[in-house]
Amino acid sequence: MESLVAWAPVMAFVGLGVALGIYRSILRQPEGSPRMAQIAAMIHEGAMAFLRREYSILVVFIVVVAALLYFFITPRTALAFVAGGGLSMLAGFIGMKGATRANVRASEAARGRGRDAALGVAYFGGAIMGLSVASLGLLGVAGFFLAYVALADTPTVPDLAGFAMGASSIALFARVGGGIYTKSADVGSDLVGKVEAGIPEDDPRNPGVIADNVGDCVGDTAGLGADIFESYVGSVIAAVTIGAALGEMNAAYMAAPILVVMVGLAASLLGLASMKLMRGVDPAVTLRVTSFIAAALMLAGAYGVVVGLKLPMGVWGAIALGAVAGVAIGLLTEFYTGMYDPVKHLSETALTGSATILINGFALALESVAAPVVVICIATFYANELAGLYGIGIAAVGMLATVGITMSVDAYGPIADNAGGISEMAGLGPETRKITDALDALGNTTAAIGKGFAIGSAAMTALALFSAYIKAVGLTEINLVDTRVVIGMFLGGAVTFVIASLTMKSVGKAAMKMVDEIRRQFREIPGLMEGTGKPDPARCVDIATKGALTEMILPGMIAVLFPIGIGFLLGPTGLGGMLAGATVTGVLLALLMANGGGAWDNAKKYIEEGHFGGKGSAAHKAAVVGDTVGDPFKDTSGPAMNILIKLMSIISLVIAPLLI
Amino acid sequence: MESLVAWAPVMAFVGLGVALGIYRSILRQPEGSPRMAQIAAMIHEGAMAFLRREYSILVVFIVVVAALLYFFITPRTALAFVAGGGLSMLAGFIGMKGATRANVRASEAARGRGRDAALGVAYFGGAIMGLSVASLGLLGVAGFFLAYVALADTPTVPDLAGFAMGASSIALFARVGGGIYTKSADVGSDLVGKVEAGIPEDDPRNPGVIADNVGDCVGDTAGLGADIFESYVGSVIAAVTIGAALGEMNAAYMAAPILVVMVGLAASLLGLASMKLMRGVDPAVTLRVTSFIAAALMLAGAYGVVVGLKLPMGVWGAIALGAVAGVAIGLLTEFYTGMYDPVKHLSETALTGSATILINGFALALESVAAPVVVICIATFYANELAGLYGIGIAAVGMLATVGITMSVDAYGPIADNAGGISEMAGLGPETRKITDALDALGNTTAAIGKGFAIGSAAMTALALFSAYIKAVGLTEINLVDTRVVIGMFLGGAVTFVIASLTMKSVGKAAMKMVDEIRRQFREIPGLMEGTGKPDPARCVDIATKGALTEMILPGMIAVLFPIGIGFLLGPTGLGGMLAGATVTGVLLALLMANGGGAWDNAKKYIEEGHFGGKGSAAHKAAVVGDTVGDPFKDTSGPAMNILIKLMSIISLVIAPLLI
């Protein structure tokens, strides 16, 4: 059965083929009025221009690092690194194409054909990203596994880590750059447009709105895609690396993670297809049911894989644990950030001013880390009981196997958000707005769940990579009795705080430049407020792009160089301590920031629904302050933590041979 | 030389005698006008009533836990526990007496005899607390050391831990209760008085001002005192416990920490005496120089101890490292929270509103953890290089040996603060106010340094206790390869977040009750605003007291029960992981919260000095929001972290015999 791995590239091409088919079918849909087409073109161009410029910087980074890997590690690692980075960028590129083509067509579908049609366009638009991530990830991982291990004369498992490191490096820059972009554009256009000029969100007179919509794409689509891509390939490579050390059964243990993600991709395709059966069903139910169908099919297929490979049944148990834990963390995130009691109570504290909603929101965020951490602990504990360290690795794979569909749902959110923005800017009717608003609100829920899932999967992947690192350096212990380990833990904890600080300040700096530019346009372009003058959105897009790309360099370099420095300063055990400290505090900070930001956001929305005085009341003003503080929490610094912990683990794994 | 330990109780009584002499000499100073005496009496009674009620709850707790220790651990542990709790309470009681007698006399000295006299009264008032903590701590630790170890037929070192556990339990409740009290009174009276009624801070018409001034005493004097008392005895007991395992030289290793704190107390007394030589010198310089004199004398004495005990010179190096690290962390805290570039830049961000000062303050706080953590790591690393795990323990002792004077400087702050409040309430002239304002501002600086020192010493003590725990459970490894350890780390990290959340929410709840009461008095008492009606401050004091005592129970119980639960659930290695996780995240959170809160506080003060629009400007309003958010950070939740990590470590040490 191990030989079935050779079919993985075929499966990957099937997935890519379906993605291409969906892309073509979306392109065939009408774009609507010329005004809509024009707005969509601006968003598309802005997003693609950002990606092009970001990638042109990252290519330099990849070449430099590849050269270092070539000389200091192995040429094979360097090659895998380039491929990992390249395929991650390609997935982001394809997904972004899909998203920026689907947004306007979802808007037009809402206008001409109603809710189900609009949901279908937005969802399948997201599926282009979902399937690209899953297919290209599978292609790369399986391809290098075949070339370096299964079909190689001298198998070299450690070189595989280069692929995950490539994916991880791109993810860091994409997440940080995208996060800074989206929030600087959002905060900048809100501050001048909504607050100073007093015009509504997404008003076409605001020069920043195009940048704001571009930001949704580059942050939530490309950034999240790269994040998930990395978790996906990282978990598989971690499981393979651990499996390689498992004695005579190791061929089966190494094949299992790849076969499971193959099965997961097939299950995702069937889940997507099941969408066609859901006409007339509530959109929220549709998204949930299709995901569950895919998960159930994946688990059934994984059962076949485990039996076929003659692995102990505990391996399947670990896969199931991972899948269930991913869902549980997503739902817990929804509980703390959705329209439930915690957020409703939080919005009430806005009645006594911004200080109280901030204190209570922060307290809520601090508290909200407990339950997801317990879920991670239970999953880790039982995965280990069932199948040892390998169980932790394969549980992470189980959590991520159906990425083809979970990422589709995640990518749906920004498309629906964009569709709403385009409807507003193009002045479509209230009926259309109602549909796009409803789809957008659903997108906020899926985004919250997606964030929780991203953190949970990052935590599991980081733990799996940590286990792989331990195997790779050949350590039997990373002992807390050893002072280097304790020091490493402290430094690992501190570096997550520093990266969070840097990214948070970056948003502020980039946003201030955006504010200056939008103010300048309102001041200098005659008739802009009256609707007779034309704004220059391209300049705003350009400023957000430059700001994001400049600001992503420093945190990115720290994340890359820190584990290397610690490794040489404190040795392999100290580096192990550093990873443990960074993983624990990184996961806690990521949960704190994602849930805090999400809760403030929805507390504001709850007030806007008419509670506690509604829009324009003192409570609303206080809640807006909370929401603004939460923005960089949830969309910039928090997500950066996911990548940071994975990237530092994977770099440690790659440099392990140098430390022994 | 080991036998000199028998003189420790004598030294302790000398310290107590000096404290008593100072107390008497302060009582002889004039109290000023009848109005001043009356205000002072109200503060005194409020503070003492709080302590009485707090202690009457804690006595129940102590009896219950002592009974459990008696049956499940050893009767000797139970006895030491009761003594540790009792002496901590006694130190708090004496210190509070001193503080609430000195405040009004410092105010009167400022009126009648000028700055130097006022400084002297406030500083020596603080010295009552400083000397009580140092002397009673020494008395207890040395007494039990003599009884259980040095003079015992069958030495039982583990039973000593009971003493630290008693001190630690009291500290937790005192810190949390005091922190909730001070902030609920502060926020409550500010919200209604300053914001709603528009009257100045410390205005006698505000019914909450007495509670606010009581809060300064119970939070910053009694709470901080219990915190430092715990670090002091905890570090000594940890070093003794580690020393006990060091083979044939162990008698010398065990005696060293006690002799060092004896020397430290003597050095503190000389440092205090040197104050007399400082007439006319700038108060800030005076405080600093006397502390440095004491530290230098302590290091000289410690050198004699190390030579006399024939210990390796590395032990002295570790002591010096600890002392220097304590100073360094304090100065770093001052840099991030005092009137330097970080705070000045932060206050500028208030120009664009409360959201930006909050984001930037949070970013500043995140960043500010790095340097102190590096200092802790360097100290830990080299202490270990110089003298192994014992080096870490003795470094913590070195940091804390001159507590007699560092705590005096810390306790000076709230006395100066109170003196300012009394001058305002009693309507003393602008000349007097100028002096008390200057002394109060200096108090804010010393408080910032004191907070940093408290965190640094808590971190070192927790690490020392952690090392002692490892020795006590007889583990040679707490291995991060073991999943239980990793899970323990995650849970330890999460519990610090949960405690921070609970304490933060408690402030909100208690403050709301205070707001309601103050509003009621303004509404129902005729002529209160006009100055003809009399406020009822006793009711406010009562409400703050009840609120604080009710709210301290839950976080206190979690802190006590959590390590026990983890110990039995995950075993001794899992518990070790939990302690490591909690220590790392607890130290990071403590630094984040202390520095964030301090920076927001001083950013507001910097604007009040006339920058960026000064008092009443939009920037000032934004900065007030930052300050309000920062209040529970720096005075409630942040300090609670110090205790939490020490308490959980000491409980683990005590229950170690049950886990083996």
Side-chain angles (χ1 to χ4, degrees):
Chain A
M1 180 144 184
E2 289 86 339
S3 60
L4 285 179
V5 170
W7 289 90
V10 177
M11 185 69 230
F13 281 113
V14 170
L16 283 176
V18 173
L20 184 67
I22 293 174
Y23 181 66
R24 288 213 176 137
S25 87
I26 282 178
L27 274 191
R28 276 195 301 271
Q29 313 256 351
E31 272 196 298
S33 68
R35 173 79 187 129
M36 288 166 72
Q38 184 204 6
I39 294 165
M42 284 195 288
I43 296 175
H44 176 76
E45 277 156 30
M48 286 310 176
F50 174 76
L51 275 199
R52 261 195 309 278
R53 282 168 61 176
E54 182 179 57
Y55 288 175
S56 63
I57 294 176
L58 293 185
V59 164
V60 177
F61 172 81
I62 286 186
V63 168
V64 172
V65 175
L68 293 172
L69 292 174
Y70 187 94
F71 291 111
F72 290 104
I73 312 290
T74 63
R76 285 178 161 208
T77 301
L79 180 63
F81 173 80
V82 172
L87 288 179
S88 173
M89 291 198 279
L90 184 59
F93 183 81
I94 296 174
M96 192 79 110
K97 275 253 170 217
T100 54
R101 295 307 185 192
N103 53 10
V104 63
R105 289 168 176 86
S107 177
E108 171 62 15
R111 184 172 72 153
R113 293 180 294 145
R115 189 194 72 182
D116 282 355
L119 174 68
V121 173
Y123 186 38
F124 281 108
I128 297 170
M129 178 57 116
L131 291 176
S132 303
V133 166
S135 306
L136 291 172
L138 176 61
L139 181 66
V141 166
F144 280 96
F145 178 74
L146 290 168
Y148 287 1
V149 184
L151 308 179
D153 297 333
T154 48
T156 50
V157 174
D159 293 337
L160 284 180
F163 189 81
M165 182 174 161
S168 212
S169 308
I170 296 306
L172 181 82
F173 290 107
R175 250 309 192 191
V176 171
I180 296 170
Y181 188 114
T182 181
K183 285 305 116 178
S184 62
D186 186 10
V187 171
S189 54
D190 274 7
L191 266 181
V192 187
K194 277 207 272 193
V195 182
E196 293 180 11
I199 57 179
E201 195 164 343
D202 288 331
D203 189 293
R205 287 170 294 178
N206 189 334
V209 286
I210 296 291
D212 191 4
N213 277 278
V214 172
D216 292 338
C217 296
V218 303
D220 293 345
T221 307
L224 182 62
D227 187 346
I228 299 290
F229 184 88
E230 179 201 9
S231 286
Y232 185 66
V233 304
S235 65
V236 172
I237 288 171
V240 170
T241 306
I242 303 168
L246 290 179
E248 53 184 75
M249 281 290 285
N250 69 359
Y253 279 111
M254 287 193 287
I258 293 177
L259 293 176
V260 169
V261 292
M262 268 176 76
V263 165
L265 176 54
S268 299
L269 289 171
L270 293 172
L272 285 174
S274 73
M275 164 83 188
K276 292 279 178 200
L277 310 170
M278 301 274 174
R279 298 263 147 214
V281 178
D282 178 62
V285 175
T286 303
L287 295 190
R288 198 158 287 181
V289 167
T290 52
S291 301
F292 284 161
I293 288 174
L297 290 172
M298 183 278 288
L299 285 178
Y303 185 85
V305 168
V306 171
V307 170
L309 290 170
K310 302 194 178 60
L311 293 173
M313 214 18 80
V315 172
W316 184 79
I319 295 170
L321 262 178
V324 172
V327 173
I329 294 171
L331 293 179
L332 285 168
T333 310
E334 196 192 345
F335 171 70
Y336 279 111
T337 61
M339 292 296 179
Y340 302 99
D341 278 357
V343 164
K344 288 180 187 170
H345 288 150
L346 177 61
S347 57
E348 191 176 351
T349 64
L351 286 172
T352 41
S354 47
T356 41
I357 193 172
L358 279 157
I359 292 174
N360 283 286
F362 198 75
L364 169 68
L366 282 166
E367 180 200 317
S368 74
V369 307
V373 163
V374 169
V375 170
I376 292 169
C377 287
I378 292 174
T380 308
F381 182 81
Y382 286 104
N384 182 62
E385 290 285 302
L386 288 167
L389 283 188
Y390 183 77
I392 298 173
I394 201 80
V397 173
M399 190 182 272
L400 286 149
T402 52
V403 139
I405 200 154
T406 47
M407 182 69 222
S408 300
V409 173
D410 292 342
Y412 153 85
I415 295 175
D417 193 349
N418 262 228
I422 292 170
S423 305
E424 175 79 30
M425 284 185 271
L428 304 189
E431 276 304 298
T432 309
R433 282 295 293 163
K434 212 179 132 194
I435 292 175
T436 55
D437 278 354
L439 295 182
D440 185 11
L442 174 61
N444 287 331
T445 307
T446 62
I449 297 180
K451 273 191 187 107
F453 179 79
I455 298 167
S457 66
M460 289 301 289
T461 304
L463 286 174
L465 288 168
F466 179 68
S467 306
Y469 166 77
I470 292 167
K471 293 277 177 210
V473 284
L475 289 174
T476 54
E477 59 168 50
I478 295 180
N479 198 338
L480 285 173
V481 178
D482 176 356
T483 307
R484 285 160 195 268
V485 176
V486 174
I487 291 173
M489 277 183 60
F490 267 105
L491 295 175
V495 79
T496 64
F497 276 52
V498 170
I499 297 283
S501 169
L502 286 173
T503 49
M504 205 171 279
K505 281 195 218 156
S506 295
V507 172
K509 279 191 249 170
M512 284 319 297
K513 287 188 194 137
M514 183 64 91
V515 165
D516 288 342
E517 171 60 21
I518 299 177
R519 279 186 185 151
R520 186 195 65 78
Q521 293 199 21
F522 270 115
R523 200 172 54 236
E524 296 182 3
I525 299 176
L528 185 54
M529 263 307 270
E530 296 72 31
T532 54
K534 255 190 75 176
D536 182 4
R539 279 218 47 162
C540 293
V541 169
D542 190 55
I543 283 170
T545 303
K546 265 192 205 135
L549 297 181
T550 317
E551 295 290 335
M552 78 180 182
I553 307 286
L554 180 64
M557 293 318 291
I558 292 178
V560 171
L561 297 176
F562 192 73
I564 300 175
I566 295 290
F568 287 104
L569 201 68
L570 298 176
T573 55
L575 179 55
M578 191 283 276
L579 292 179
T583 302
V584 168
T585 53
V587 168
L588 292 171
L589 267 191
L591 288 167
L592 170 88
M593 294 186 147
N595 293 347
W600 277 313
D601 186 1
N602 273 330
K604 184 196 69 173
K605 290 202 173 111
Y606 188 68
I607 292 176
E608 285 174 353
E609 286 176 7
H611 304 274
F612 309 118
K615 255 189 173 166
S617 65
H620 184 239
K621 286 206 183 76
V624 167
V625 174
D627 181 36
T628 312
V629 172
D631 264 345
F633 272 53
K634 73 179 196 304
D635 290 321
T636 312
S637 303
M641 294 298 111
N642 297 349
I643 319 273
L644 180 68
I645 59 178
K646 288 180 286 181
L647 177 60
M648 295 202 305
S649 304
I650 194 82
I651 289 177
S652 306
L653 185 56
V654 169
I655 64 167
L658 301 180
L659 299 174
I660 302 173
Chain B
M1 179 142 183
E2 288 87 339
S3 59
L4 286 179
V5 170
W7 290 90
V10 177
M11 186 69 231
F13 281 111
V14 170
L16 281 176
V18 174
L20 184 66
I22 293 174
Y23 182 67
R24 287 213 177 135
S25 87
I26 282 178
L27 273 191
R28 276 196 300 272
Q29 313 257 350
E31 272 196 299
S33 69
R35 172 80 187 127
M36 287 166 73
Q38 184 203 8
I39 294 166
M42 284 196 287
I43 296 175
H44 176 77
E45 278 157 28
M48 287 308 176
F50 175 77
L51 275 198
R52 263 196 306 278
R53 284 168 60 175
E54 182 179 58
Y55 288 175
S56 62
I57 294 178
L58 293 185
V59 164
V60 178
F61 172 82
I62 285 185
V63 169
V64 172
V65 175
L68 293 171
L69 292 173
Y70 187 92
F71 291 111
F72 290 104
I73 312 290
T74 63
R76 287 177 160 210
T77 301
L79 181 63
F81 173 81
V82 172
L87 288 179
S88 172
M89 291 197 279
L90 184 59
F93 183 82
I94 297 175
M96 192 79 110
K97 276 251 172 221
T100 54
R101 296 303 185 197
N103 53 10
V104 65
R105 289 167 175 87
S107 178
E108 172 61 15
R111 186 172 71 157
R113 294 180 294 146
R115 190 194 70 182
D116 281 355
L119 174 68
V121 173
Y123 186 39
F124 281 108
I128 298 170
M129 178 56 118
L131 291 176
S132 304
V133 166
S135 307
L136 292 173
L138 176 62
L139 181 65
V141 165
F144 279 97
F145 178 73
L146 290 168
Y148 286 2
V149 183
L151 307 179
D153 297 331
T154 48
T156 51
V157 175
D159 293 336
L160 285 179
F163 188 81
M165 183 175 162
S168 210
S169 307
I170 297 306
L172 182 81
F173 290 108
R175 251 308 193 189
V176 171
I180 295 170
Y181 188 114
T182 181
K183 285 304 117 181
S184 64
D186 186 10
V187 171
S189 54
D190 274 8
L191 265 181
V192 186
K194 277 207 272 192
V195 181
E196 293 179 12
I199 58 179
E201 194 163 345
D202 288 329
D203 189 292
R205 289 170 291 178
N206 189 337
V209 287
I210 297 291
D212 190 5
N213 278 279
V214 172
D216 292 338
C217 297
V218 302
D220 293 345
T221 307
L224 183 63
D227 187 347
I228 298 290
F229 185 88
E230 179 201 10
S231 284
Y232 185 65
V233 303
S235 65
V236 173
I237 288 172
V240 170
T241 306
I242 303 169
L246 290 180
E248 55 184 73
M249 282 290 283
N250 69 359
Y253 279 112
M254 287 193 288
I258 293 176
L259 293 176
V260 169
V261 292
M262 270 176 74
V263 166
L265 176 52
S268 299
L269 289 172
L270 293 172
L272 284 173
S274 72
M275 166 81 187
K276 293 278 178 202
L277 310 171
M278 301 273 175
R279 296 264 147 215
V281 178
D282 178 61
V285 175
T286 304
L287 296 191
R288 200 159 284 179
V289 167
T290 52
S291 301
F292 284 159
I293 289 174
L297 291 172
M298 183 278 289
L299 284 177
Y303 185 84
V305 169
V306 171
V307 170
L309 290 170
K310 300 194 180 61
L311 293 173
M313 215 17 79
V315 171
W316 184 81
I319 295 170
L321 262 178
V324 172
V327 174
I329 294 171
L331 294 179
L332 284 169
T333 310
E334 196 192 345
F335 171 71
Y336 280 112
T337 62
M339 292 296 180
Y340 303 99
D341 278 357
V343 164
K344 288 181 187 170
H345 287 151
L346 177 61
S347 58
E348 190 176 352
T349 64
L351 286 172
T352 40
S354 47
T356 41
I357 193 172
L358 279 156
I359 292 175
N360 283 286
F362 198 76
L364 169 69
L366 283 166
E367 181 199 317
S368 74
V369 307
V373 163
V374 169
V375 170
I376 293 169
C377 288
I378 292 173
T380 308
F381 183 81
Y382 285 105
N384 182 63
E385 290 285 303
L386 289 168
L389 283 188
Y390 182 78
I392 298 174
I394 201 79
V397 173
M399 191 183 272
L400 286 150
T402 52
V403 139
I405 199 153
T406 46
M407 182 70 222
S408 301
V409 175
D410 291 343
Y412 153 84
I415 295 175
D417 192 351
N418 262 231
I422 292 169
S423 306
E424 174 79 30
M425 284 185 270
L428 303 190
E431 276 305 300
T432 310
R433 283 293 292 160
K434 211 178 136 196
I435 293 175
T436 54
D437 278 354
L439 294 182
D440 186 10
L442 174 60
N444 287 330
T445 306
T446 62
I449 296 179
K451 276 195 185 104
F453 179 79
I455 298 168
S457 66
M460 289 302 289
T461 304
L463 286 174
L465 288 168
F466 179 69
S467 306
Y469 166 76
I470 292 168
K471 293 275 178 215
V473 284
L475 289 174
T476 53
E477 60 168 48
I478 296 179
N479 198 336
L480 285 173
V481 179
D482 176 355
T483 308
R484 284 160 198 268
V485 176
V486 175
I487 291 173
M489 278 183 58
F490 267 105
L491 295 175
V495 80
T496 63
F497 276 51
V498 170
I499 297 283
S501 170
L502 285 174
T503 49
M504 205 172 279
K505 281 193 218 160
S506 296
V507 172
K509 278 190 249 172
M512 283 321 294
K513 287 187 195 138
M514 183 65 90
V515 166
D516 288 343
E517 172 60 21
I518 300 178
R519 280 187 186 151
R520 187 196 65 77
Q521 292 201 21
F522 271 115
R523 203 172 52 235
E524 295 182 4
I525 299 175
L528 184 54
M529 262 307 271
E530 296 71 33
T532 55
K534 254 191 76 177
D536 182 2
R539 281 218 46 162
C540 293
V541 169
D542 190 55
I543 283 170
T545 303
K546 267 195 203 135
L549 297 182
T550 317
E551 295 290 337
M552 79 181 181
I553 308 285
L554 180 63
M557 293 318 291
I558 292 179
V560 171
L561 297 176
F562 192 73
I564 301 174
I566 294 290
F568 287 105
L569 201 67
L570 297 176
T573 54
L575 180 54
M578 191 283 276
L579 293 179
T583 302
V584 169
T585 53
V587 169
L588 292 171
L589 266 190
L591 288 166
L592 170 88
M593 293 186 147
N595 293 348
W600 277 313
D601 187 0
N602 273 330
K604 183 196 70 173
K605 290 201 174 114
Y606 188 67
I607 292 176
E608 284 173 354
E609 285 176 8
H611 304 273
F612 308 118
K615 254 189 175 169
S617 64
H620 185 238
K621 286 205 183 77
V624 168
V625 174
D627 182 36
T628 312
V629 173
D631 265 345
F633 272 54
K634 74 178 195 304
D635 290 321
T636 313
S637 304
M641 295 298 111
N642 298 350
I643 322 271
L644 179 67
I645 60 178
K646 287 180 286 181
L647 178 60
M648 297 205 304
S649 303
I650 194 80
I651 289 177
S652 306
L653 185 56
V654 170
I655 64 167
L658 301 179
L659 299 175
I660 302 171

